[in-house]
Structures are given as structure tokens and as C-alpha cells.
Amino acid sequence: RLEQAQIIQRDRSLLEQKMIEFERDAADVEMQLRTNGNDDKELLSQFLELVNIKNELTRRENELHLCEKYLQLLDEQDQIDRDLRYLIESQSGDKSTEDRKEEEDLILKKFDIVNRRDYLLTQLDENKKREEEENRQINEMLRSKGMSSTLHAY
């Protein structure tokens, strides 16, 4: 998991660099559009391409955030599992009411974490489906206007 967390951090850093590049490029194209007017089809195509890039960067940022949360939940679950194991192993004989209550609380916490992890996975899946549909719609719109788009994966 440490490796996964490091990969997420590395990807976040790369994403930040790409955002800086994007903002610079977007400012240049916007300035050219303001200067030349909205009739320049090439500039308009570039601008729409930059909008696509911005959407992709934002999507990737959200995906990394969900992955990070998922890893945190896995860590929490591991800690609960350790606490639960310790509690079960350290009890000799009959369990006191307090021991049973603590064990029950840990099991409920674990159940809650599993549900939250499942929700995050569902969110990731729904986001991917929505992204694919948005990309399809953007491409259709661009084709209908005689333009094309190169969708980027970040």
C-alpha cells in the first residue's frame, strides 16, 4: 500500500505540473481568441481541445482523490482487524459485557468501512461510465461542427 500511496502522490505531482501547463496554454489561446475574434475555426478547435484537457485533468484528480480515500479505508480496516484479533486473543475464559461491547463496536466499524470502500468503488465505476459518455457526446458535437478532438488520458 505504501507503493500505491507513493504512486498516487507522484501522479498528483505530475497532474499539478500538467495543470500549470494547461493554464498557460489556455490563457494564450483565450488571448488569441479575444484578439482575432471567435471566427477562427483553428483557434476555436484549440480552445475546445483545451476544455477537453481540463476535463480530463479534473477527472484524473477526482480519481486520485477517491483512490487515496480507498487506501485510507484499507488502513483503517487493517487497524480494526488487528484490534479485534488482539481483543479476541487476549480474552481468556468468559467475555465481560465490556469486552463484548468493544468487540461489537469494532465489528460495526469494520462493517462501516467495508460499506464506504464499496461506495468508493461504485463512485469510481460510475465516474468512468460518465466520462465515457461525456467523451462520446463531445466527439459527436465536434464531428457535427466539422472538427475533431484528441482525447487525452492522464
Side-chain angles (χ1 to χ4, degrees):
R1 273 191 226 143
L2 177 60
E3 184 179 333
Q4 290 171 324
Q6 290 170 337
I7 289 170
I8 289 171
Q9 281 306 112
R10 187 198 73 224
D11 287 355
R12 278 187 182 262
S13 294
L14 290 171
L15 199 58
E16 284 178 33
Q17 291 171 357
K18 289 180 183 193
M19 275 293 216
I20 291 169
E21 290 172 23
F22 160 80
E23 288 170 1
R24 186 179 55 246
D25 292 345
D28 290 344
V29 170
E30 184 179 2
M31 183 62 74
Q32 290 176 20
L33 274 173
R34 288 177 189 225
T35 304
N36 299 343
N38 292 341
D39 296 334
D40 189 337
K41 207 169 191 177
E42 180 63 32
L43 275 178
L44 198 52
S45 182
Q46 262 186 301
F47 181 75
L48 291 173
E49 188 66 29
L50 288 170
V51 169
N52 285 342
I53 291 170
K54 172 70 171 177
N55 289 341
E56 290 295 322
L57 292 172
T58 301
R59 289 173 185 152
R60 182 65 179 139
E61 184 176 39
N62 290 335
E63 181 182 3
L64 289 173
H65 177 72
L66 290 175
C67 290
E68 192 172 55
K69 287 294 226 186
Y70 186 82
L71 287 178
Q72 289 172 352
L73 289 173
L74 284 175
D75 288 342
E76 283 181 45
Q77 184 177 341
D78 283 350
Q79 183 60 48
I80 288 172
D81 286 342
R82 283 190 296 274
D83 292 347
L84 195 54
R85 241 184 335 273
Y86 175 78
L87 186 64
I88 290 169
E89 289 171 1
S90 67
Q91 295 172 349
S92 55
D94 293 332
K95 295 179 185 179
S96 69
T97 306
E98 184 179 303
D99 290 340
R100 276 190 238 115
K101 173 70 174 135
E102 186 177 355
E103 190 175 316
E104 183 180 316
D105 287 345
L106 287 172
I107 290 170
L108 289 174
K109 282 181 185 178
K110 181 175 179 174
F111 183 72
D112 178 57
I113 287 173
V114 168
N115 284 335
R116 289 175 19 207
R117 282 181 33 220
D118 184 52
Y119 175 77
L120 287 175
L121 290 175
T122 301
Q123 286 297 112
L124 280 167
D125 188 48
E126 288 175 2
N127 289 351
K128 290 275 187 201
K129 288 177 184 175
R130 186 174 47 251
E131 175 183 333
E132 289 170 4
E133 178 60 22
E134 287 172 0
N135 287 344
R136 187 190 62 72
Q137 290 174 352
I138 288 168
N139 280 329
E140 279 182 20
M141 190 250 331
L142 290 173
R143 272 194 304 272
S144 73
K145 298 196 181 292
M147 299 180 199
S148 65
S149 173
T150 308
L151 294 175
H152 302 275
Y154 295 101

